[in-house]
Amino acid sequence: QVQLVESGGGLVQAGGSLRLSCAASGIIFSIDAMGWYRQAPGKQRELVAVRRSAGITNYADSVKGRFTISGDNAKKTTYLQMNSLKPEDTAVYYCNADLISAYGIRSNYWGQGTQVTVSS
């Protein structure tokens, strides 16, 4: 029963910071990748940042230099540090992960999402 649970969202003024966390629970043998997507009302879900094996990271151009993804494999957790937030960052942020769980099965999982609202 693998689950991803996000936390850390909230309301912040432009220029402020938030740190999102995503913790995976259940029987997990290894992590292939963990990352963050976001979806604003009326828009498609987009990749924000992803961290893969060997520490390889990718960021959307819109967040480069402002957001930082990190992870703690022992805690099965990924973090998204968001600085210099802009109103256009307002969205529901979803954690996503490729995990190896029971019986060596690789599966993709989504969290329920956490709301980030940036006021001007």
Side-chain angles (χ1 to χ4, degrees):
Q1 297 177 347
V2 175
Q3 292 183 318
L4 303 178
V5 180
E6 303 100 332
S7 63
L11 175 65
V12 65
Q13 291 186 336
S17 298
L18 285 173
R19 191 191 193 201
L20 305 183
S21 298
C22 172
S25 63
I27 301 175
I28 300 168
F29 298 124
S30 64
I31 300 171
D32 281 348
M34 295 189 77
W36 295 90
Y37 290 73
R38 67 185 181 187
Q39 187 167 23
K43 299 183 67 176
Q44 295 188 53
R45 190 171 299 186
E46 64 175 347
L47 176 69
V48 177
V50 62
R51 181 175 182 268
R52 298 189 289 271
S53 299
I56 299 171
T57 58
N58 293 98
Y59 296 91
D61 288 341
S62 60
V63 307
K64 286 181 179 177
R66 300 188 298 120
F67 291 11
T68 302
I69 188 170
S70 61
D72 186 335
N73 286 348
K75 296 181 179 180
K76 304 173 186 176
T77 301
T78 187
Y79 307 95
L80 185 68
Q81 179 66 47
M82 305 185 293
N83 298 326
S84 302
L85 283 162
K86 304 174 181 180
E88 51 262 44
D89 294 319
T90 296
V92 177
Y93 285 69
Y94 296 91
C95 181
N96 180 264
D98 288 331
L99 307 174
I100 308 299
S101 57
Y103 307 105
I105 298 173
R106 180 181 182 274
S107 300
N108 184 259
Y109 300 88
W110 289 96
Q112 292 296 313
T114 185
Q115 177 71 48
V116 172
T117 303
V118 184
S119 62
S120 59

